Structures are given as C-alpha cells and as structure tokens.
Amino acid sequence: MKSKISTWVERQLIRCNLPEHIRTWLFQTETRTFEIFNGVMLLLWAFIFIFDSPEFFQNDYRNLDGHLHPVLSGSLILMLSVLTILASLYTSLGWRTFQVYLLFGSCVVWAVILAGLVSVVPPFTFSIWMGFIVYGFLFVIPWWGAVHIQDINQKIRADAEKAKANAEI
C-alpha cells in the first residue's frame, strides 16, 4: 500500500509533465524546440527594448544607448520573434526556408546584444561574464539550427529531384 506522501509526489510529477500531444508537436522536428525558445527569448528582449529601455541602457548596455533607437529596435525584434514562433508551427519546405532566414536574423540580433555587452568592458562583473556565456549560446544555437534546416531542405529537394527523374524514365 502506498503512503499518502508517495501518492502525492507521483501526482505532482505527472502534473509537471507536458501532455503527450504537446510533447509530440514540440519535438516533431529536430529544431522546433530551439526555434520556439529563440522566439520567446527575442520576445522578452523586445519588451525590454520597448518598455524598460532608459533604465536598462544606463546600466549594462550604456554604449548601445546612442546607437539604437529603443522603440524601433524593440519593434523589429518583436516582429522577428512573432514571425519565428509562427514559422515554427509549419513544416512545409517554404516555411522551413523562411525559418532559416529568421534564425539567421536572430543571430544578428544576438550578436548586436553581445557586442553591446562586450563594449562595456571593463569592468568585468558577474553579469558581464554570464552575458558572454548566455548570449554566446543564444547566438550559436540559432545558427546551428538554421544550418541544420538548410541541410534537411537540401536533402528534401535532392530526393524530390531524384523522384522526378525516376518518374520521367
């Protein structure tokens, strides 16, 4: 017989898991999880640029203050994030090609944010070191995802051309 505590823990663990249909959709393609994560992170940065820019730029990103208009930059990042999340919903070849361009565009955004972080050196603070690590990964992961999607698209196109050539014979 199970104790009340073990039953409660088991129920909590079941609650923490995503439902099967959401897990199936989220992990249907190899890169969808990273695409959605990237889109959500861009969405958060867009809100920082639009709503919290004066205080934010005075602290860690003071060198970006004169070079980027916060509302315009935030609006562009917001558009990129929404398009990234929407494009991850579809698996057709055209949408996947569009997703490649969106992921490369998000790499540019993360590179600019990382450059703003590097431009305040010195002093090296803990947040600066963490920024190097986090935004470095946020730059590299969409790049790898975009390259992987390009490889998949090339294989799909090559298979389609082979099938078309075999059908003509």
Side-chain angles (χ1 to χ4, degrees):
M1 182 171 172
K2 288 185 179 180
S3 68
K4 288 182 181 180
I5 294 175
S6 65
T7 306
W8 180 83
V9 168
E10 187 175 301
R11 275 189 272 137
Q12 299 309 315
L13 289 175
I14 290 172
R15 275 190 208 158
C16 290
N17 290 333
L18 289 173
E20 186 176 346
H21 67 281
I22 293 175
R23 281 182 286 153
T24 303
W25 174 80
L26 189 59
F27 297 106
Q28 182 179 10
T29 65
E30 297 95 355
T31 58
R32 183 173 286 161
T33 306
F34 298 118
E35 294 165 14
I36 291 177
F37 175 74
N38 182 48
V40 169
M41 291 298 290
L42 285 171
L43 190 66
L44 293 174
W45 266 93
F47 288 137
I48 288 173
F49 268 80
I50 293 171
F51 297 115
D52 194 34
S53 57
E55 296 82 17
F56 184 74
F57 283 123
Q58 287 176 356
N59 295 330
D60 285 340
Y61 290 86
R62 56 184 163 266
N63 290 344
L64 287 180
D65 192 20
H67 302 292
L68 298 175
H69 189 272
V71 175
L72 178 63
S73 302
S75 300
L76 291 173
I77 294 171
L78 179 67
M79 183 178 68
L80 180 66
S81 68
V82 169
L83 286 174
T84 300
I85 292 170
L86 286 177
S88 69
L89 301 176
Y90 303 103
T91 57
S92 69
L93 188 62
W95 279 103
R96 301 302 289 166
T97 303
F98 184 56
Q99 184 69 25
V100 168
Y101 292 114
L102 292 173
L103 287 172
F104 282 139
S106 66
C107 287
V108 171
V109 170
W110 295 124
V112 168
I113 291 171
L114 187 60
L117 191 64
V118 170
S119 67
V120 298
V121 174
F124 280 112
T125 61
F126 181 72
S127 64
I128 301 268
W129 282 110
M130 290 308 295
F132 286 148
I133 295 167
V134 170
Y135 300 119
F137 278 121
L138 286 173
F139 170 76
V140 169
I141 289 174
W143 184 276
W144 287 338
V147 170
H148 183 69
I149 293 171
Q150 278 183 328
D151 292 343
I152 291 172
N153 288 349
Q154 287 176 355
K155 289 177 187 175
I156 291 172
R157 287 187 184 112
D159 291 344
E161 288 177 8
K162 285 180 186 176
K164 185 177 179 181
N166 288 339
E168 291 176 357
I169 294 177

